[in-house]
């Protein structure tokens, strides 16, 4: 998710510096990561940040008409609904991944036994949420199928265009880039999730294009590495 | 020839074939794609609803969620999306996600959590369709599940109290309705002239909001300000649900017509009577009302003399 914001802010041509903090979740006004700190204002979550940036005069979706804006919102919900939930599922409900990767990663800034307690607590919270929306009964294969369907939809929407709404990047492009790049680069036990995304060549080309265009110019290595380690220690 | 398929779902009222959004979605899709479904509405019998409703039973397959039921129907060659392009198929998925994220929480809230609505409409309606003693337990359980779902998905900080969450979900729902209205524009269905999966989902979510009479109706009022969405619901109801062969809707329509006729006759008679009374009053001299005679007896002296002059 951090990457979505960076991409978005860089698409708006706003300079951004990424800082990693262990207590970032507590510093954020809504408890959710990431958040931006501008002057003496702190804003978190994609929706409010987009509005904040818009109020300051930068907006990526001004060129869209009403129907396109509706479509953009719908696709953003699709990404949130499917990709984000699938990522959460994989991190917290798939036992193998949980044991080997998530627990150590989430608990790493804290001493024993706090690290175990906090990660179990988070796992329990995520499982409750999955149950409420009906994903608890899903097997890994079904989740992967859903991700595949979502990627297929995104791929078909993107087609051969450079961005989702033709020439100009929008919030949707930032969001999709953030999620897909995370899936493609994060190391998990199995590569099935990233394989699903790699099946769609226009999506991988899209990610590479955005990475080159927006992250290479500014100190690419440090920012992407910082972003990746931010995700590692401060799970969304 | 496909095996016979049976759908168990919640029944309807207020002109709808079902009150439950998911059941309505499946029924609408079946009508659009021409799938021959026998619909069994859950009524007061001992076949208590198990698990998720709606449930499709075909031979040995028991399928429960709307998305899975629709997939099954498509595999049986009942496909309403046949003419859609790949991009339109992708759009369908996106809009369905939008509905589930933005509109469903407010719908659940209106039905199951808003205290007045729940106590006066939802609970009695569902309880009357479930057998005792489940009817004491199941509506409460559905309400708790709805609340849980809303709080877990929307209730994270900084929205801590239920009222803030409610305000947010209704804002989202109204925005969603506006977006749907803009997307529909002036066309009859979302993708041209034939209804598709997306139309089934939108209808399933909108029709209960539109038709069910609740005491607290902010979402319904907002929906009524979007005439193209109202027209969309009405069109589907008249075209696809009135002509069903199930037996009750045409009969229902006839009795409704007959009732309407009787009512109009009564109203006409009454208005004639009122006119006559008006005429009589204007023509005749002013008679004092009867009560005053009793007052005269009670009041004593002063009331007496003017009345003596006037009484017939």
């Amino acid at each position: 998710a951090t990457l979505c914001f960076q991409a978005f802010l860089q698409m708006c041509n706003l300079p951004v510096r990424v800082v990693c903090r262990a207590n970032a979740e507590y510093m954020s006004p809504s408890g959710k990561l990431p958040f931006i700190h501008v002057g003496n204002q702190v804003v978190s979550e994609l929706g409010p940040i987009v509005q904040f940036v818009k109020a300051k005069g930068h907006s990526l979706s001004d060129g869209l008409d009403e129907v396109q804006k509706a479509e953009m919102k719908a696709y953003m919900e699709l990404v949130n609904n499917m990709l984000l939930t699938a990522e959460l599922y994989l991190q917290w409900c798939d036992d193998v991944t949980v044991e080997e990767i998530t627990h150590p990663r989430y608990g790493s800034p804290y001493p024993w036994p706090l690290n175990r307690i906090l990660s179990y607590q988070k796992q329990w919270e995520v499982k409750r949420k999955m149950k409420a929306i009906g994903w608890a009964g899903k097997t890994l294969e079904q989740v992967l199928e859903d991700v595949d369907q979502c990627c297929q939809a995104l791929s078909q929407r993107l087609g051969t265009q450079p961005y989702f709404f033709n020439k100009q990047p929008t919030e949707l492009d930032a969001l999709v880039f953030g999620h897909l790049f995370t899936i493609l680069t994060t190391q998990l036990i199995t590569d099935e999730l990233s394989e699903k995304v790699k099946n769609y060549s226009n999506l991988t080309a899209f990610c590479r294009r955005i990475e080159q265009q927006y992250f290479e110019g500014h100190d690419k290595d440090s920012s992407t590495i910082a972003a990746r380690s931010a995700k590692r220690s401060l799970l969304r | 020839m496909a095996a016979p398929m049976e759908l168990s779902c919640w029944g309807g009222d207020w002109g709808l074939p079902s009150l439950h959004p998911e059941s309505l979605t499946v029924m609408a899709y079946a009508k659009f794609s021409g799938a021959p479904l026998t619909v069994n509405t859950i009524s007061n019998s001992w076949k208590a609803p198990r698990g998720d409703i709606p449930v499709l039973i075909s031979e040995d397959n028991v399928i429960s969620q709307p998305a899975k039921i629709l997939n099954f129907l498509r595999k049986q060659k009942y496909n309403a999306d046949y003419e859609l392009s790949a991009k339109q198929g992708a759009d369908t998925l996106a809009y369905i996600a939008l509905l589930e994220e933005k509109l469903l929480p407010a719908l659940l809230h209106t039905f199951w959590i808003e205290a007045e609505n729940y106590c006066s409409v939802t609970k009695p309606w569902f309880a009357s369709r479930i057998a005792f003693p489940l009817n004491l337990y199941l509506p409460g359980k559905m309400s708790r599940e709805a609340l849980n779902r809303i709080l877990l998905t929307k209730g994270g900080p900084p929205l801590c109290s239920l009222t803030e969450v409610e305000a947010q979900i209704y804002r989202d729902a109204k925005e969603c309705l506006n977006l749907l209205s803009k997307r529909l524009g002036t066309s009859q269905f979302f993708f041209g002239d034939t209804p598709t999966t997306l139309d089934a989902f939108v209808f399933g979510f909108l029709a209960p909001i539109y038709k069910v009479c609740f005491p607290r109706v902010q979402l319904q009022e907002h929906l009524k300000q979007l005439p193209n969405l109202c027209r969309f619901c009405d069109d589907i109801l008249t075209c696809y649900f009135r002509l069903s062969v199930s037996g009750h809707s045409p009969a229902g329509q006839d009795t409704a017509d007959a009732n309407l006729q009787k009512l109009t006759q009564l109203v006409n008679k009454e208005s004639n009577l009122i006119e006559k009374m008006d005429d009589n009053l204007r023509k005749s001299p002013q008679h004092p009302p009867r009560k005053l005679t009793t007052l005269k007896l009670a009041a004593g002296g002063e009331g007496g003399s003017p009345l003596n002059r006037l009484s017939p």
Side-chain angles (χ1 to χ4, degrees):
Chain A
T2 317
L3 219 45
C4 308
F5 293 88
Q6 276 183 282
F8 172 68
L9 291 169
Q10 293 196 343
M11 285 172 187
C12 294
N13 281 327
L14 295 170
V16 62
R17 193 168 60 108
V18 176
V19 178
C20 306
R21 293 278 167 76
N23 63 340
E25 271 184 354
Y26 297 99
M27 280 163 64
S28 159
S30 74
K32 295 222 176 103
L33 293 180
F35 63 91
I36 58 173
H37 182 204
V38 177
N40 56 353
Q41 283 177 302
V42 186
V43 188
S44 66
E45 291 196 59
L46 188 61
I49 291 186
V50 168
Q51 283 177 335
F52 178 77
V53 168
K54 198 168 181 173
K56 297 285 180 187
H58 296 88
S59 171
L60 291 180
S61 50
D62 279 342
L64 301 180
D65 65 29
E66 294 297 339
V67 175
Q68 285 177 314
K69 278 192 191 161
E71 255 188 59
M72 185 180 84
K73 293 234 160 84
Y75 274 96
M76 283 170 75
E77 287 309 323
L78 179 67
V79 171
N80 275 333
N81 205 343
M82 290 267 179
L83 287 184
L84 189 58
T85 322
E87 282 168 27
L88 271 179
Y89 180 92
L90 218 68
Q91 279 175 346
W92 294 102
C93 302
D94 177 39
D95 296 321
V96 180
T97 319
V98 165
E99 269 310 307
E100 307 236 347
I101 296 188
T102 320
H103 275 322
R105 205 204 298 181
Y106 192 73
S108 60
Y110 310 103
W112 195 88
L114 194 58
N115 56 356
R116 299 298 276 181
I117 296 175
L118 285 178
S119 56
Y120 275 121
Q121 195 183 42
K122 177 88 183 182
Q123 186 181 19
W124 184 73
E125 258 178 54
V126 172
K127 281 198 167 159
R128 259 183 86 200
K129 184 173 167 183
M130 293 290 158
K131 192 164 167 218
I133 58 175
W135 275 58
K138 290 201 183 188
T139 59
L140 190 58
E141 284 75 38
Q142 285 170 328
V143 171
L144 289 174
E145 240 183 75
D146 284 339
V147 171
D148 191 46
Q149 233 185 16
C150 179
C151 289
Q152 193 183 31
L154 288 173
S155 174
Q156 282 163 352
R157 181 66 185 78
L158 184 60
T160 47
Q161 297 168 354
Y163 300 108
F164 279 94
F165 287 96
N166 214 3
K167 300 286 172 10
Q168 289 294 97
T170 56
E171 288 91 4
L172 178 61
D173 299 281
L175 190 66
V176 172
F177 169 70
H179 281 287
L180 291 182
F181 194 80
T182 313
I183 294 178
L184 288 170
T185 54
T186 311
Q187 289 285 56
L188 290 177
I189 298 291
T190 58
D191 281 333
E192 286 172 8
L193 195 57
S194 53
E195 286 305 314
K196 293 281 175 195
V197 177
K198 284 182 193 160
N199 279 335
Y200 300 97
S201 57
N202 61 349
L203 291 180
T204 39
F206 169 77
C207 288
R208 209 166 298 129
R209 196 182 319 124
I210 293 199
E211 192 189 349
Q212 282 169 348
Q213 206 161 354
Y214 293 98
F215 289 90
E216 227 139 69
H218 306 57
D219 232 352
K220 171 196 169 192
D221 292 348
S222 61
S223 75
T224 44
I225 290 175
R228 257 180 261 164
S229 54
K231 282 193 299 297
R232 295 256 154 88
S233 60
L234 303 169
L235 276 174
R236 289 145 259 148
Chain B
M1 198 56 194
M5 298 185 279
E6 217 180 271
L7 182 72
S8 290
C9 60
W10 294 110
D13 215 336
W14 291 283
L16 291 176
S18 173
L19 279 201
H20 187 226
E22 281 149 13
S23 310
L24 209 49
T25 306
V26 176
M27 284 163 128
Y29 184 84
K31 293 268 185 250
F32 296 161
S33 59
L37 279 190
T38 0
V39 177
N40 286 337
T41 52
I42 295 167
S43 58
N44 196 2
S45 67
W46 275 101
K47 272 195 205 163
R50 263 165 239 285
D52 299 320
I53 304 293
V55 172
L56 182 71
I57 304 176
S58 165
E59 291 180 336
D60 292 326
N61 298 320
V62 176
I63 309 164
S64 65
Q65 285 164 355
K68 291 186 191 160
I69 297 180
L70 261 50
N71 270 342
F72 179 78
L73 288 175
R74 277 187 213 113
K75 284 189 194 143
Q76 304 287 326
K77 315 276 190 226
Y78 296 110
N79 190 355
D81 296 338
Y82 196 65
E83 292 173 3
L84 290 185
S85 70
K87 180 182 173 304
Q88 288 172 324
D91 282 350
T92 303
L93 267 184
Y95 277 102
I96 292 175
L98 185 70
L99 284 174
E100 281 181 2
E101 280 290 311
K102 299 281 179 186
L103 193 55
L104 184 62
L107 184 70
L108 286 176
H109 187 272
T110 308
F111 267 75
W112 296 99
I113 300 170
E114 177 67 60
E116 261 188 67
N117 293 347
Y118 176 61
C119 295
S120 57
V121 177
T122 320
K123 190 165 156 191
W125 193 90
F126 277 90
S128 67
R129 280 160 179 76
I130 307 171
F132 182 84
L134 267 181
N135 62 352
L136 297 175
Y137 166 70
L138 214 54
K141 175 168 174 249
M142 289 166 84
S143 171
R144 276 193 299 278
E145 278 175 5
L147 184 62
N148 228 3
R149 186 184 171 133
I150 293 181
L151 284 180
L152 285 177
T153 50
K154 301 280 168 188
L159 304 170
C160 297
S161 71
L162 190 56
T163 36
E164 285 171 15
V165 178
E166 286 170 15
Q168 178 66 31
I169 59 181
Y170 277 105
R171 261 202 300 271
D172 284 343
K174 287 175 188 169
E175 201 196 309
C176 179
L177 290 176
N178 292 342
L179 290 176
L180 286 174
S181 179
K182 282 185 198 136
R183 176 64 185 75
L184 182 61
T186 48
S187 36
Q188 193 178 11
F189 297 110
F190 278 90
F191 293 115
D193 294 330
T194 41
T196 56
T197 309
L198 181 59
D199 299 288
F201 270 89
V202 174
F203 175 69
F205 281 85
L206 289 187
I209 303 175
Y210 182 38
K211 292 284 185 184
V212 179
C213 301
F214 281 120
R216 293 290 184 89
V217 285
Q218 51 168 317
L219 212 50
Q220 193 183 68
E221 280 160 17
H222 189 87
L223 181 56
K224 288 189 176 159
Q225 292 170 17
L226 299 166
N228 60 350
L229 291 180
C230 299
R231 193 245 321 140
F232 170 78
C233 289
D234 286 329
D235 277 349
I236 294 186
L237 279 172
T238 38
C239 299
Y240 291 93
F241 288 102
R242 287 289 156 72
L243 309 173
S244 74
V245 209
S246 63
H248 9 137
S249 8
Q253 186 63 6
D254 287 342
T255 46
D257 284 336
N259 285 339
L260 196 58
Q261 264 186 325
K262 278 189 206 158
L263 273 172
T264 4
Q265 282 171 349
L266 272 171
V267 168
N268 286 338
K269 273 191 208 160
E270 271 203 40
S271 55
N272 289 339
L273 271 172
I274 291 174
E275 277 182 29
K276 276 194 196 156
M277 275 168 62
D278 271 340
D279 284 337
N280 284 341
L281 272 172
R282 273 181 244 123
K283 287 180 203 157
S284 62
Q286 285 292 338
H287 292 295
R290 289 281 152 198
K291 271 193 198 161
L292 273 175
T293 51
T294 51
L295 267 177
K296 174 182 130 197
L297 290 168
E302 319 79 66
S305 35
L307 280 166
N308 278 331
R309 268 188 288 125
L310 285 175
S311 60

